[in-house]
Amino acid sequence: MKTTMNTKRILTLLLFSLLAFNSCDESKLDIQPGGPTEDSYFSSEIEFTRAVYGIYAKLSDFYWYNADQNECVIPVVYLPGDDITTSGQDEFEIFSNLNPSSSRISYFYRVAYQLIARANVVLQKIDAVEDGIYVTPGMKDYHHGEALFLRAFGYYQLWNVFGTAPLVTERVLSLDQTTPSNSSGTQLLDQAIIDLTEAATLLPATWDNSNRGRVTKNSANGMLGKCLVFRATVAGNNADYQAAVTAFNNITGISLVPAYDDNFAADTENNAESLFEYQATQAFAFDNVWLSNDFDNAIGSMSVFWGYYSDAWNLFGKAKFTATQKLVDLFDPADPRLDLSLDASTKDFKKYVTRDVLNQPGAASVNNPRILRYADVLLLKAEALNESGGSTTDAINLINQVRARARGAGASPADLSTGQTDRNVIRQWIMDERLMELAGEGQRWFDLRRWHMGGMITLNNAFFSSDLPGTIGFVPDRHINFPIPTSETDVNPNIVQNNGY
Amino acid sequence: MEPNQPSMKKYLLLGCCLFLTATLYGQQRAVTGKVTDGSDGSSLPGVSVLVKGTTRGTATDATGGYSIEAASGDVLIFSFIGFETQEVEVGERTTINVALSTSVRQLGEIVVIGYGEREKKDLTGAISTMDSDEITKTVNMTPELAMQGRMAGVFVGTPSGNPFDRPNIQIRGVATWGYSQPLYVIDGIPIIEGGAASSWAGHQDIRSPVNIMATINPNDIESISVLKDASAAAIYGVRASNGVILITTKRGKKGAPKIEFNAQRGFQNVPKQYDVLNTADYTALYQEAYANNPDEAANLPAEFKPSDPAYLGNSQTYDWQSPLLNKGAIIEDYSVRVSGGGDNTNYFISGGYGRTQGSIIANYLERLTLASNVTSKIGKYIEAGMNVRLGYNNAVDNAPGDLTYAAEAPPWQPIYDANDVSGYAPSVVAQFVENPDFDLDLVNPGPRYNFDGDPQFLWGPATRSNIFASLKYGDRRFNLFRTFGNIYLQIEPIKGLKIKGSINGDYYFNLRKDWGEYAGYRFSQTPGNPYSGHDGTAKGSYGERQSRNLNLMSDITINYNKSFGDHSIDVLLSAMSQETTWKYTDARTGQVDYTDPDLRYVGNNPPFNGTFTGKIPQALQGYLARASYKYKDRYYLDATIRRDGASAFAPDFRWGTFPSFAAAWRISGEDFFEPLKGNIIDDLKIRGGWGELGNKETTQGFAYLSSVEGQPDYALGSGNGNPYGTQLGGVRLPNFPNFELSWERVQTTNIGFDAILFKNHVTFTAEYYNRYTKGIIQSVSLPPNSGIESSTDLNIGNVKNNGVEIQLGYNNTFGKIGFNVSGNITTVKNRVETMFRGTPIGGSYGRIQEGYPIGYLWGYRVGGVFQSAAEIASWKAVNEDRIGTNDQQPGDMYFADLGSTPEPGQFSNPTPDNIINSNDRTYLGKTIAGFYYGLNLGGTYQNFDLSIFFQGVGDIQKYNDARAGGEAMSSNGVNQWASTLGRWTTENPSPTMPRAVRSDPNENNRFSSRFVENASFMRLKNVQLGYSLPSSLLAKTKAVQQLRVFVSGTNLATFTSWKGIDPENDFVPPLRQFLFGINATF
């Protein structure tokens, strides 16, 4: 009997201690990770500002070396045009081996959507922000406008490269959102136009010097007009051309800089002609071009790779990119832009390379790519006027503004005759002027593509004036849209591959 | 002399006669003798000698001798753990020497199970075990490798020839496609290693390449049990789904102090290297490759042009592989253990030192271990114990590159240059010019000098880093210190009821020291500016990184067992709480002014310093109950339930319950079986079980919180002469908050037979298993359109693994020859059953898709090599290749047309469409072995013993990455395998190997069946020959009880059709090892 009592007592004691052991501790499972989480973030203006910087930072991925001369995505946009060629067998030069497994295609596609997603996060958070978080007058609108602008730039890139990539306008918060189907027609451009229209109402006219490089009302109006011209080209509608002219007319305080090559010099970035640039720099400790911007603050690469032009050592035997004979031949030899843009004998590009500042390892550059500058706007405006039945004189005068700046104090290129009324001739003038003025700036392929889609030109193998005429295999129906990467088609059952791949 | 004296002798004589007479008539007399080990003749101390039917007994002394009073009618019983008990009739002998033979221990063997131990005959679950004898057969720096091939169901891959690499372990296939390594429980402490399960490269870098298991000295291990099925492993609940490896270390046992000493020393070599082209053949290949591509012909590097002054084709050939391989790499290991115990207290002390070099020069691992445990009975009811283990590793990680890197170096690139100040031949030459913008007052001062023009490669565009120079200019090493231990208190208030509380801790500290000397830039393929990141005068950069992992666990266990007649019950209740925090700190500077290793430290040198810290915590709680019932040693029932909570999941998905059941019927215990016994079957058991386990390791946790990351930066404010602007910190949200993530669950069904046959000479175990994993957590790269940047942890799929395990052993003695053979084989059929929305994931190297094994190889199937323009024309009349340029030339490959554009909502369409594009990728092979096996042959003859051990893997394919590089023939000058001499040319129209062509316009090198190979192999893993000194000799030393010397060889031969260096690792190949060792007991 006594033993039983003891046993009971001990068992009770034990059960009690077991319970005690447990009762205090389930809260121990409520631990926090070592860093900030979304739950607690976005509680102050500076946190929103950082999230906006995060959107901008994604631009880096379109321009950096990407750890490999064969992986860098600059050629996706730059190389297909008829201004640049290469003696190497690059998929963006010869087209015929361009296929959905291309790692550069995959990367370009992915980072464009990451840019959009970062913008969508900011838009979602701004939409839900409580009063009192923002303290600087206007800053909420500015952030809103920046996010819209950058998202629109993502759509613009996607439309020009893939055409039918899906339209994503909401932040992904569940798996159901991850398998959209293709966009069609100009849906991506349409959204860009909507976003840019709104951004133009939100953004500030200018920023102070320490914020130089952030987008402004002018940036939004410039991109808006550009997108409208693009849409008008393929859809052939006058309203868009006219709306583009209106948007361009809303640009104020912007002018062509006197020296043409200030547009490609590291020390004259964000100048009076600039509307939108990627702000390349040197990461503060060591700009390691083998590590992405997202890798680490001190060494993640923030530079741009102009090595295809400079035949940099880190091409490792990959052929450099040079100017086409077609481009060289188009210039009046006395046009100062010829020698500022390239070396006519070797056809090596000089843009971005001559007045460059390299990053610390010497493997890339801090010289900003000019994504949108005023000369581009002037020529687009001329095109919009010419195509929409506007004043041909005004259109020609706009071209002449660009030519006048180009010749400086010299004689060439001379003004074009304002008496010309044949819109086809003027169109050809604009096309040629764009090729010369914007050569090597990553604009040409997008122009060719839209003109071809709009039936203004016919792209064929001969058109590209490649150094590899025998091998180039451009099939318009197929290559006008680049392939949707297999990284998407392999996992998204609702996506349809572009024609011909 | 007294006259009586002769009569004294007479009395004595008479006495002896009487004594003898008395003996003859059953009188007591002293019987003496010696007991030895029948297998090697060594003396056996401590053998119990008992007169049958009495309580009279003694034990053998240190030399195996004994003396006992016995009568001629008596029978002496000699018994000793691990040996067959022998009964000997005394008869008329006064000296009885006995040789005991090793027992077939299957029945009485004690097996460690979770939270306890059990006799092997009473097991209901699937548990494989090995003991210290087997563990120490091979010499390894880490215990996992000792398990290779030894246990059915347990696959241990050879990671590489790097001594601190982690082996890949698969227990019954692969149940998940995330982290699939088993849980290690060392002396009751579940090990959690910070960052182990993370798929993020940054975590893996901080985790370091050094395997923390290497801090455990394999010589200290008493046994390893592997819990393979759910019924055995359920007791570890949420972390047990990939199996549990229970490591039990040696303890003190009651008895006089026992000293064991082991010493081994040997050397190791890599048996093979790549056969690559010499300079002449190499030059010819690239001249041909560029000439074969008209577009690229003009880009032929000057180094390959005979007419160019830069031509290198007449240079000698340099062999980069031999100097990279560690010839005669040292391996040695010494350990000593002292153990013993008295009535109340047992103790154990151990110390060990080992070191080994890797297959590649400059990698080195050194280990120092100390361990001690003590258990003590305090009074009648209380027992307390303590177990402490200290480990120190010094791992030098200076291997400059892998074997493939060396093989790919241009053969004309020299390694050494006596004229260079370093003694090594530079890769590049560069000039510098003062940087006018350099300003130390700036946050970012810039480099003091800039490159003046680009650095120039000296050996063509494929110039390699002279990796050998890195030995002079860089140093990276890790010091790992680990403290590991527990204390417990156990109360046994009434017989059979044990209440035990313990506190367990595991702390390790990993210090990385990293030095790079700026002067080394000349030897790099990607030379950085040596004047950046410091004030322009520093000699090098230095960083220290600490990774600290604290793992604390407390648990309380109540165990009650009791027998009532034929019934036995055993009940276990337990509760545990575990917290782990992984923290790291990194500090580095670009400003170190001296090269002297003693003067390397991180000074306070803004702006040239960088630091970061981080913390990753997790917590886990669990309750468990196990009830076992046994009837007459015939019927067994086990039921386990465990409830676990883990911090990794959102509050609503945090807790999970994991049940399991098992039953066994020991048929041989039945009365009806009695007549069969002793003829063919000695023991027979059928067992089966079902259970469910969890896996939380495949998530890093906090998926529901969505992290905010601070890495992206942007610069604003450049212009007006300032090209840089100011770098500003941005943030990104790489993921979205996922509230619904919960456990992976594995359901396992197991059916097994255990049999002992032919008078204990044959043992046989066969098992069928079926593991079904539900809700596999996968870090999914969501479709890129989502913009989600890091992979997202989701419960997305179900996988089935099933198969059979067979273990068969035979053991017999023929006169002086002892012989044993044992083998095991495991089959694995792995199949993905369902995927979220049916969506496959993963690329060519490892695709995961419904209906296929996890991680199968996925690519194009080679059709053949075009031999003529006519053949191309007829192929192209029907087909179009849209991956390459579709401008095929003779010598290019063609690929099979196996599919067409999938219908919307589908992922494949098996209808050919005459277009070769991404729709034609197909199954090319599976990367999970279909079966694996081990075979051990052992023999003894007098004092010699021999064991021969084979290990193998079958039904497995791998993509041969090394060959894909070595036979690509399309690059700018990477050296190629000598097999490319058989490439397609018009003179030698190869049917299998395509032509050499720069840039590969036809994409002959696309991921295809061309480089997929059978990776099956059988290795002669280990041969060991030992000799034990005869006890007669040892007896004279009066100290040494046992002394065995042995020679052993590991990885002696590999039988495979794999076309690389080694089917398990072509890059840092495993080593062939020869050893000499001594084991002694005092």
Side-chain angles (χ1 to χ4, degrees), chain A residues 442-463:
Chain A
Q443 304 291 344
R444 189 62 177 172
W445 166 243
F446 290 0
D447 278 343
L448 296 180
R449 178 177 176 275
R450 68 185 169 96
W451 289 330
H452 175 92
M453 290 168 84
M456 296 174 182
I457 57 171
T458 303
L459 290 176
N460 54 39
N461 288 343
F463 189 93

mmCIF file of all heavy atoms in Angstrom, chain A residues 442-463:
data_model
loop_
_atom_site.group_PDB
_atom_site.id
_atom_site.type_symbol
_atom_site.label_atom_id
_atom_site.label_comp_id
_atom_site.label_asym_id
_atom_site.label_seq_id
_atom_site.Cartn_x
_atom_site.Cartn_y
_atom_site.Cartn_z
ATOM 1 N N GLY A 442 21.749 51.327 -78.921
ATOM 2 C CA GLY A 442 20.744 50.335 -78.545
ATOM 3 C C GLY A 442 19.339 50.744 -78.913
ATOM 4 O O GLY A 442 18.377 50.273 -78.310
ATOM 5 N N GLN A 443 19.197 51.639 -79.900
ATOM 6 C CA GLN A 443 17.866 52.081 -80.314
ATOM 7 C C GLN A 443 17.434 51.428 -81.621
ATOM 8 O O GLN A 443 16.248 51.348 -81.928
ATOM 9 C CB GLN A 443 17.835 53.611 -80.510
ATOM 10 C CG GLN A 443 18.280 54.402 -79.302
ATOM 11 C CD GLN A 443 17.309 54.321 -78.136
ATOM 12 O OE1 GLN A 443 16.152 53.923 -78.303
ATOM 13 N NE2 GLN A 443 17.774 54.648 -76.947
ATOM 14 N N ARG A 444 18.406 51.001 -82.399
ATOM 15 C CA ARG A 444 18.132 50.707 -83.796
ATOM 16 C C ARG A 444 17.222 49.492 -84.002
ATOM 17 O O ARG A 444 16.332 49.527 -84.833
ATOM 18 C CB ARG A 444 19.466 50.510 -84.543
ATOM 19 C CG ARG A 444 19.331 50.408 -86.038
ATOM 20 C CD ARG A 444 18.751 51.691 -86.641
ATOM 21 N NE ARG A 444 18.697 51.622 -88.096
ATOM 22 C CZ ARG A 444 18.110 52.531 -88.865
ATOM 23 N NH1 ARG A 444 17.546 53.589 -88.308
ATOM 24 N NH2 ARG A 444 18.085 52.398 -90.171
ATOM 25 N N TRP A 445 17.478 48.438 -83.244
ATOM 26 C CA TRP A 445 16.682 47.235 -83.477
ATOM 27 C C TRP A 445 15.203 47.493 -83.194
ATOM 28 O O TRP A 445 14.329 47.079 -83.944
ATOM 29 C CB TRP A 445 17.200 46.067 -82.645
ATOM 30 C CG TRP A 445 16.237 44.911 -82.595
ATOM 31 C CD1 TRP A 445 15.619 44.405 -81.504
ATOM 32 C CD2 TRP A 445 15.751 44.146 -83.706
ATOM 33 N NE1 TRP A 445 14.787 43.370 -81.838
ATOM 34 C CE2 TRP A 445 14.847 43.190 -83.203
ATOM 35 C CE3 TRP A 445 15.984 44.183 -85.092
ATOM 36 C CZ2 TRP A 445 14.172 42.277 -84.001
ATOM 37 C CZ3 TRP A 445 15.310 43.268 -85.891
ATOM 38 C CH2 TRP A 445 14.422 42.329 -85.355
ATOM 39 N N PHE A 446 14.934 48.237 -82.124
ATOM 40 C CA PHE A 446 13.541 48.523 -81.782
ATOM 41 C C PHE A 446 12.875 49.354 -82.901
ATOM 42 O O PHE A 446 11.701 49.163 -83.216
ATOM 43 C CB PHE A 446 13.431 49.277 -80.454
ATOM 44 C CG PHE A 446 13.791 48.449 -79.234
ATOM 45 C CD1 PHE A 446 14.183 47.117 -79.339
ATOM 46 C CD2 PHE A 446 13.715 49.013 -77.966
ATOM 47 C CE1 PHE A 446 14.495 46.374 -78.214
ATOM 48 C CE2 PHE A 446 14.025 48.273 -76.823
ATOM 49 C CZ PHE A 446 14.424 46.949 -76.943
ATOM 50 N N ASP A 447 13.650 50.283 -83.481
ATOM 51 C CA ASP A 447 13.121 51.080 -84.601
ATOM 52 C C ASP A 447 12.833 50.184 -85.808
ATOM 53 O O ASP A 447 11.752 50.239 -86.397
ATOM 54 C CB ASP A 447 14.136 52.155 -85.013
ATOM 55 C CG ASP A 447 14.075 53.387 -84.115
ATOM 56 O OD1 ASP A 447 13.065 53.552 -83.399
ATOM 57 O OD2 ASP A 447 15.044 54.178 -84.137
ATOM 58 N N LEU A 448 13.819 49.367 -86.156
ATOM 59 C CA LEU A 448 13.644 48.513 -87.332
ATOM 60 C C LEU A 448 12.438 47.607 -87.165
ATOM 61 O O LEU A 448 11.650 47.398 -88.079
ATOM 62 C CB LEU A 448 14.899 47.661 -87.570
ATOM 63 C CG LEU A 448 16.198 48.390 -87.918
ATOM 64 C CD1 LEU A 448 17.331 47.384 -88.105
ATOM 65 C CD2 LEU A 448 16.018 49.238 -89.175
ATOM 66 N N ARG A 449 12.319 47.077 -85.968
ATOM 67 C CA ARG A 449 11.255 46.115 -85.686
ATOM 68 C C ARG A 449 9.879 46.773 -85.874
ATOM 69 O O ARG A 449 9.011 46.238 -86.560
ATOM 70 C CB ARG A 449 11.434 45.619 -84.258
ATOM 71 C CG ARG A 449 10.381 44.644 -83.789
ATOM 72 C CD ARG A 449 10.723 44.160 -82.380
ATOM 73 N NE ARG A 449 9.671 43.296 -81.873
ATOM 74 C CZ ARG A 449 8.570 43.718 -81.263
ATOM 75 N NH1 ARG A 449 8.368 45.006 -81.090
ATOM 76 N NH2 ARG A 449 7.664 42.857 -80.829
ATOM 77 N N ARG A 450 9.722 47.967 -85.306
ATOM 78 C CA ARG A 450 8.389 48.599 -85.417
ATOM 79 C C ARG A 450 8.114 49.044 -86.842
ATOM 80 O O ARG A 450 6.987 48.953 -87.327
ATOM 81 C CB ARG A 450 8.258 49.755 -84.418
ATOM 82 C CG ARG A 450 9.135 50.961 -84.688
ATOM 83 C CD ARG A 450 9.029 52.023 -83.588
ATOM 84 N NE ARG A 450 10.058 53.035 -83.719
ATOM 85 C CZ ARG A 450 9.881 54.220 -84.329
ATOM 86 N NH1 ARG A 450 8.720 54.539 -84.863
ATOM 87 N NH2 ARG A 450 10.876 55.081 -84.406
ATOM 88 N N TRP A 451 9.153 49.541 -87.529
ATOM 89 C CA TRP A 451 8.938 49.973 -88.917
ATOM 90 C C TRP A 451 8.552 48.782 -89.790
ATOM 91 O O TRP A 451 7.712 48.884 -90.662
ATOM 92 C CB TRP A 451 10.198 50.652 -89.467
ATOM 93 C CG TRP A 451 10.455 52.014 -88.859
ATOM 94 C CD1 TRP A 451 9.506 52.880 -88.393
ATOM 95 C CD2 TRP A 451 11.718 52.641 -88.663
ATOM 96 N NE1 TRP A 451 10.109 54.027 -87.914
ATOM 97 C CE2 TRP A 451 11.468 53.916 -88.075
ATOM 98 C CE3 TRP A 451 13.046 52.292 -88.931
ATOM 99 C CZ2 TRP A 451 12.497 54.807 -87.757
ATOM 100 C CZ3 TRP A 451 14.062 53.175 -88.628
ATOM 101 C CH2 TRP A 451 13.778 54.423 -88.019
ATOM 102 N N HIS A 452 9.196 47.655 -89.509
ATOM 103 C CA HIS A 452 8.853 46.458 -90.271
ATOM 104 C C HIS A 452 7.415 46.033 -89.961
ATOM 105 O O HIS A 452 6.633 45.719 -90.861
ATOM 106 C CB HIS A 452 9.824 45.318 -89.937
ATOM 107 C CG HIS A 452 9.459 44.020 -90.599
ATOM 108 N ND1 HIS A 452 9.961 43.648 -91.825
ATOM 109 C CD2 HIS A 452 8.618 43.025 -90.225
ATOM 110 C CE1 HIS A 452 9.451 42.481 -92.181
ATOM 111 N NE2 HIS A 452 8.635 42.069 -91.216
ATOM 112 N N MET A 453 7.067 46.047 -88.688
ATOM 113 C CA MET A 453 5.710 45.644 -88.294
ATOM 114 C C MET A 453 4.671 46.588 -88.883
ATOM 115 O O MET A 453 3.560 46.182 -89.217
ATOM 116 C CB MET A 453 5.580 45.608 -86.763
ATOM 117 C CG MET A 453 6.356 44.474 -86.122
ATOM 118 S SD MET A 453 6.465 44.653 -84.323
ATOM 119 C CE MET A 453 4.909 43.930 -83.835
ATOM 120 N N GLY A 454 5.055 47.866 -89.004
ATOM 121 C CA GLY A 454 4.130 48.849 -89.563
ATOM 122 C C GLY A 454 4.154 48.885 -91.077
ATOM 123 O O GLY A 454 3.477 49.721 -91.682
ATOM 124 N N GLY A 455 4.987 48.012 -91.677
ATOM 125 C CA GLY A 455 5.023 47.937 -93.130
ATOM 126 C C GLY A 455 5.802 49.061 -93.795
ATOM 127 O O GLY A 455 5.711 49.256 -95.007
ATOM 128 N N MET A 456 6.572 49.825 -93.027
ATOM 129 C CA MET A 456 7.328 50.930 -93.620
ATOM 130 C C MET A 456 8.617 50.457 -94.269
ATOM 131 O O MET A 456 9.135 51.103 -95.169
ATOM 132 C CB MET A 456 7.654 51.967 -92.549
ATOM 133 C CG MET A 456 6.414 52.619 -91.959
ATOM 134 S SD MET A 456 6.902 53.691 -90.608
ATOM 135 C CE MET A 456 5.300 54.263 -90.063
ATOM 136 N N ILE A 457 9.165 49.383 -93.757
ATOM 137 C CA ILE A 457 10.368 48.808 -94.356
ATOM 138 C C ILE A 457 10.160 47.296 -94.398
ATOM 139 O O ILE A 457 9.234 46.768 -93.766
ATOM 140 C CB ILE A 457 11.652 49.100 -93.534
ATOM 141 C CG1 ILE A 457 11.494 48.583 -92.091
ATOM 142 C CG2 ILE A 457 11.981 50.590 -93.563
ATOM 143 C CD1 ILE A 457 12.784 48.631 -91.304
ATOM 144 N N THR A 458 11.028 46.625 -95.138
ATOM 145 C CA THR A 458 10.984 45.175 -95.160
ATOM 146 C C THR A 458 12.340 44.657 -94.707
ATOM 147 O O THR A 458 13.364 44.938 -95.340
ATOM 148 C CB THR A 458 10.685 44.653 -96.573
ATOM 149 O OG1 THR A 458 9.455 45.230 -96.987
ATOM 150 C CG2 THR A 458 10.589 43.141 -96.578
ATOM 151 N N LEU A 459 12.326 43.963 -93.621
ATOM 152 C CA LEU A 459 13.584 43.413 -93.119
ATOM 153 C C LEU A 459 13.851 42.096 -93.834
ATOM 154 O O LEU A 459 12.961 41.256 -93.964
ATOM 155 C CB LEU A 459 13.504 43.168 -91.618
ATOM 156 C CG LEU A 459 13.464 44.410 -90.723
ATOM 157 C CD1 LEU A 459 13.290 44.008 -89.272
ATOM 158 C CD2 LEU A 459 14.727 45.243 -90.898
ATOM 159 N N ASN A 460 15.081 41.961 -94.320
ATOM 160 C CA ASN A 460 15.502 40.676 -94.886
ATOM 161 C C ASN A 460 16.989 40.542 -94.608
ATOM 162 O O ASN A 460 17.603 41.450 -94.035
ATOM 163 C CB ASN A 460 15.177 40.602 -96.380
ATOM 164 C CG ASN A 460 15.758 41.784 -97.128
ATOM 165 O OD1 ASN A 460 16.880 42.220 -96.839
ATOM 166 N ND2 ASN A 460 14.992 42.332 -98.044
ATOM 167 N N ASN A 461 17.558 39.469 -95.015
ATOM 168 C CA ASN A 461 18.961 39.218 -94.660
ATOM 169 C C ASN A 461 19.886 40.322 -95.144
ATOM 170 O O ASN A 461 20.828 40.701 -94.466
ATOM 171 C CB ASN A 461 19.407 37.872 -95.216
ATOM 172 C CG ASN A 461 18.762 36.742 -94.444
ATOM 173 O OD1 ASN A 461 18.262 36.961 -93.343
ATOM 174 N ND2 ASN A 461 18.741 35.564 -95.016
ATOM 175 N N ALA A 462 19.600 40.862 -96.309
ATOM 176 C CA ALA A 462 20.486 41.873 -96.883
ATOM 177 C C ALA A 462 20.410 43.177 -96.106
ATOM 178 O O ALA A 462 21.363 43.941 -96.048
ATOM 179 C CB ALA A 462 20.111 42.110 -98.341
ATOM 180 N N PHE A 463 19.272 43.397 -95.455
ATOM 181 C CA PHE A 463 19.042 44.672 -94.814
ATOM 182 C C PHE A 463 20.075 44.981 -93.728
ATOM 183 O O PHE A 463 20.457 46.115 -93.517
ATOM 184 C CB PHE A 463 17.641 44.687 -94.197
ATOM 185 C CG PHE A 463 17.235 46.035 -93.698
ATOM 186 C CD1 PHE A 463 16.517 46.893 -94.519
ATOM 187 C CD2 PHE A 463 17.594 46.472 -92.433
ATOM 188 C CE1 PHE A 463 16.174 48.147 -94.073
ATOM 189 C CE2 PHE A 463 17.243 47.734 -91.992
ATOM 190 C CZ PHE A 463 16.525 48.577 -92.816
#
